[in-house]
């Protein structure tokens, strides 16, 4: 019976979580969940000059925000720890001694090198297929350094040791690691261990085909946390960076993605990242999102803007703009005028609408008309405004535009009639009359 699937995400905490790293974590997580296996988080923190506790926290926060829980690793423990490389020194020494005793190592200018077997090593990759690597020529494939003169370890050695110790069955990573794989296979063989199955994913590229770097827009997962994105939308978009369900569907529930995820469906070509497409996903998810979830995700943005209201007061306001929102960061500005009577008037809107001849007269007329409206709901408000316009032989816009500016301070926004209904009769009439007085002075 095959061993249960065990995969890992092994980032270096050097400042931020890149979209490429997040995609690697996501695909490993999906593979583990699809097969009912284990997803392990391991922190490769041997670079003491660059690694920080803050950077480790960024990794935790980014994975949690994307909804990627780990079965073993920091904070949750497990049977194969420690899960920080900096705490595994004794394990590396033990494996180093095994290689020394086996005659696989030699010293070169204070560094220790692993002596390759001069043969062809075939990598049977689950995504890329079978690829031969010829180690025959020393000048092309020089022996590999595994330990520096200062005693610190090289990535290749500790990576393989950890995968052996943690019993990884599969290693799924970016194709930039593909040339490392035959070297790792040689280490496995020297240590008498069975290599895992490898799968190397295509790189993430910019729209122009260049490799995505940390300086490119959308490269850092933190930018999504801070930019008003829904984690489920970003996760869905990331799933399609190299993988396709083959039926042209894009928006899919997570359970279905897990059920359908297959390494064989990962494309060989580079995945082109498009932040505008990610924005589209975010808007689609927001539109389809239950109000409870929408309120939960927008709440931090409202709190920063000083907007506080109970759900029964907040939800009707949020619903007015929900279909137009792309990022949660937009919401406070869109709805702030509902929660204060000290809202500002947009100068351009005032110039275009309130300074127009007859505008204040129209405001006074609509205020008088609406003072007798019952019920004060959108349908009734719309019908009465149109009746008034017909009676006075003017276009409805003669009332709509100044009314909108009067009650919100701006010329654009949600449906006027629904906005008035949510404001309520008393507040709406007070705003109409106050605006008349202000601009008549």
């Amino acid at each position: 019976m095959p061993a249960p699937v065990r995969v890992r995400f092994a980032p270096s905490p050097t400042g931020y979580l890149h979209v490429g790293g997040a995609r690697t974590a996501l695909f490993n997580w999906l593979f583990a969940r699809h097969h009912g296996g284990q997803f392990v988080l391991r922190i490769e923190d041997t670079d003491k000059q660059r690694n920080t506790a803050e950077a480790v926290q960024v990794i935790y926060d980014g994975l949690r925000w994307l909804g990627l829980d780990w079965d073993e690793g920091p904070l949750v423990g497990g049977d194969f720890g420690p899960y920080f490389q900096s705490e595994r020194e004794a394990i590396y020494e033990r494996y180093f001694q095994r290689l020394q005793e086996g005659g696989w190592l030699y010293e070169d200018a204070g560094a220790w090198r692993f002596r390759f077997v001069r043969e062809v090593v075939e990598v049977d990759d689950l995504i890329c297929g079978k690829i031969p690597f010829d180690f025959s020529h020393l000048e092309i494939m020089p022996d590999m350094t595994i330990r520096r003169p200062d005693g610190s370890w090289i990535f290749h050695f500790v990576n393989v040791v950890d995968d052996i110790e943690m019993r990884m069955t599969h290693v799924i990573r970016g194709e930039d690691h593909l040339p490392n794989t035959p070297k790792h296979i040689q280490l496995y063989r020297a240590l008498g261990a069975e290599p895992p199955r490898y799968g190397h994913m295509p790189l993430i590229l910019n729209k122009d085909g260049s490799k995505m770097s940390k300086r490119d827009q959308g490269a850092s997962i933190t930018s999504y946390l801070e930019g008003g994105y829904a984690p489920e939308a970003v996760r869905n978009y990331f799933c399609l960076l190299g993988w396709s369900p083959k039926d042209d569907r894009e928006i899919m529930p997570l359970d279905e993605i897990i059920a359908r995820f297959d390494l064989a469906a990962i494309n060989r070509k580079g995945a082109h990242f498009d932040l505008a497409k990610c924005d589209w996903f975010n808007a689609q998810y927001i539109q389809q999102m239950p109000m409870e979830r929408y309120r939960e995700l927008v709440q931090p943005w409202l709190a920063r803007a000083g907007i506080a209201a109970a759900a029964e007061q907040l939800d009707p306001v949020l619903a007015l703009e929900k279909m137009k929102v792309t990022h949660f960061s937009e919401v406070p500005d869109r709805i702030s005028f509902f929660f204060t009577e000290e809202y500002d008037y947009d100068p351009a809107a005032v110039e275009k609408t309130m300074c127009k001849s007859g505008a204040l007269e129209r405001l006074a007329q609509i205020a008088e008309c609406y003072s007798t409206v019952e019920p004060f709901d959108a349908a009734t408000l719309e019908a009465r405004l149109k009746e008034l316009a017909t009676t006075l032989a003017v276009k409805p816009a003669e009332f709509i535009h100044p009314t909108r500016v009067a009650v919100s301070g701006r010329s654009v926004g949600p449906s006027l009639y629904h906005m008035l209904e949510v404001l309520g009769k008393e507040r709406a009439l007070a705003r109409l009359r106050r605006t008349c007085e202000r601009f008549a002075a």
Side-chain angles (χ1 to χ4, degrees):
M1 184 175 180
V5 163
R6 288 179 60 81
V7 294
R8 46 73 169 178
F9 176 52
S12 297
T14 55
Y16 74 110
L17 180 60
H18 185 273
V19 62
R23 195 269 306 258
T24 296
L26 174 60
F27 280 24
N28 276 278
W29 185 88
L30 289 170
F31 187 75
R33 295 295 173 260
H34 177 83
H35 291 282
Q38 300 291 299
F39 173 63
V40 179
L41 175 62
R42 184 173 77 225
I43 305 297
E44 299 194 339
D45 62 339
T46 53
D47 188 342
K48 297 177 181 178
Q49 292 184 338
R50 299 177 63 201
N51 298 332
T52 67
E54 292 78 11
V56 173
Q57 190 63 48
V58 166
I59 293 169
Y60 296 159
D61 292 344
L63 294 180
R64 285 168 168 165
W65 185 78
L66 285 168
L68 306 184
D69 55 326
W70 50 99
D71 303 296
E72 295 176 24
L75 307 181
V76 299
D79 295 333
F80 303 98
Y83 294 94
F84 285 85
Q85 283 187 339
S86 59
E87 300 173 5
R88 298 175 62 81
E89 184 69 23
I91 298 172
Y92 303 141
E93 289 286 359
R94 188 168 71 248
Y95 276 79
F96 180 78
Q97 291 298 322
R98 285 172 57 181
L99 290 177
Q100 272 192 318
E101 292 166 3
W104 292 100
L105 304 181
Y106 64 92
E107 196 170 2
D108 179 19
W112 286 91
R113 288 181 175 271
F114 174 79
R115 184 179 287 108
F116 285 131
V117 177
R118 296 300 162 183
E119 63 182 9
V120 174
V121 176
E122 183 178 76
V123 176
D124 186 7
D125 194 273
L126 293 166
I127 298 171
C128 303
K130 295 183 178 181
I131 305 173
F133 292 85
D134 190 354
F135 283 78
S136 299
H137 303 288
L138 181 65
E139 64 274 15
I140 298 175
M141 288 285 198
D143 289 336
M144 177 174 60
T145 300
I146 68 166
R147 195 170 198 176
R148 301 181 184 92
D150 65 3
S152 61
W153 305 103
I154 297 294
F155 154 79
H156 303 287
F157 175 67
V158 293
N159 186 269
V160 166
V161 169
D162 288 343
D163 284 345
I164 292 172
E165 284 282 305
M166 295 182 184
R167 303 184 186 180
M168 294 298 123
T169 61
H170 298 76
V171 171
I172 304 166
R173 56 191 181 187
E175 67 178 12
D176 52 330
H177 283 289
L178 185 55
N180 296 329
T181 302
K183 303 174 184 178
H184 295 178
I185 289 175
Q186 289 231 28
L187 274 172
Y188 269 96
R189 290 174 178 171
L191 290 166
E194 182 70 23
R197 295 301 309 275
Y198 287 94
H200 289 87
M201 302 175 291
L203 299 180
I204 297 178
L205 308 175
N206 291 310
K207 291 178 68 176
D208 63 4
S210 61
K211 182 180 176 181
M212 195 174 193
S213 75
K214 64 181 182 180
R215 293 176 296 276
D216 293 318
Q217 189 178 23
S220 170
I221 298 304
T222 303
S223 68
Y224 298 95
L225 277 77
E226 297 175 349
Y229 288 81
E232 49 265 53
V234 175
R235 183 178 60 216
N236 190 160
Y237 177 62
F238 284 4
C239 286
L240 302 179
L241 291 176
W243 174 80
S244 171
K246 305 300 183 186
D247 59 4
D248 296 326
R249 289 185 61 205
E250 293 184 309
I251 295 179
M252 300 171 62
L254 182 58
D255 287 348
E256 183 177 351
I257 293 174
I258 290 172
R260 300 181 65 177
F261 187 78
D262 182 5
L263 293 182
I266 294 179
N267 302 321
R268 283 291 298 116
K269 295 181 179 179
H272 288 265
F273 180 86
D274 184 350
L275 188 60
K277 184 68 172 181
C278 188
D279 288 344
W280 178 84
F281 268 85
N282 207 52
Q284 295 298 307
Y285 265 83
I286 286 174
Q287 290 175 19
Q288 300 171 26
M289 192 174 286
M291 181 55 71
E292 183 177 3
R293 176 63 172 161
Y294 181 61
R295 185 191 332 117
E296 174 191 353
L297 292 177
V298 81
Q299 196 66 55
W301 301 95
L302 300 180
R304 291 178 207 173
I307 297 173
E312 54 268 26
Q313 283 83 44
L314 185 59
D315 286 0
V317 176
L318 293 177
L320 292 174
E321 293 277 30
K322 185 169 177 285
M323 301 302 288
K324 300 177 183 178
V325 169
T326 299
H327 305 104
F328 297 115
S329 52
E330 306 164 23
V331 175
D333 182 64
R334 287 179 175 271
I335 68 171
S336 59
F337 66 88
F338 280 96
F339 300 96
T340 178
E341 298 306 316
E342 303 298 325
Y343 55 92
D344 295 324
Y345 291 85
D346 176 35
V350 170
E351 179 68 25
K352 182 178 180 180
T353 303
M354 305 307 296
C355 295
K356 188 176 179 181
S357 177
L360 296 181
E361 181 182 0
R362 300 298 181 221
L363 275 185
Q365 289 170 334
I366 197 66
E368 180 61 27
C369 173
Y370 279 170
S371 67
T372 60
V373 166
E374 292 294 343
F376 202 80
D377 59 30
T380 308
L381 293 168
E382 181 178 9
R384 291 295 297 273
L385 184 146
K386 290 180 177 179
E387 289 173 7
L388 180 60
T390 299
T391 300
L392 297 176
V394 298
K395 294 180 180 180
E398 294 287 323
F399 292 103
I400 292 172
H401 296 317
T403 299
R404 178 183 296 282
V405 175
V407 299
S408 69
R410 57 192 75 182
S411 59
V412 295
S415 158
L416 172 65
Y417 308 110
H418 288 94
M419 181 168 64
L420 291 169
E421 178 181 342
V422 172
L423 275 170
K425 186 173 185 177
E426 183 178 342
R427 294 179 72 202
L429 291 177
R431 291 185 179 200
L432 289 170
R433 291 165 179 156
R434 187 168 61 246
T435 304
C436 283
E437 294 172 0
R438 171 170 176 165
F439 291 102

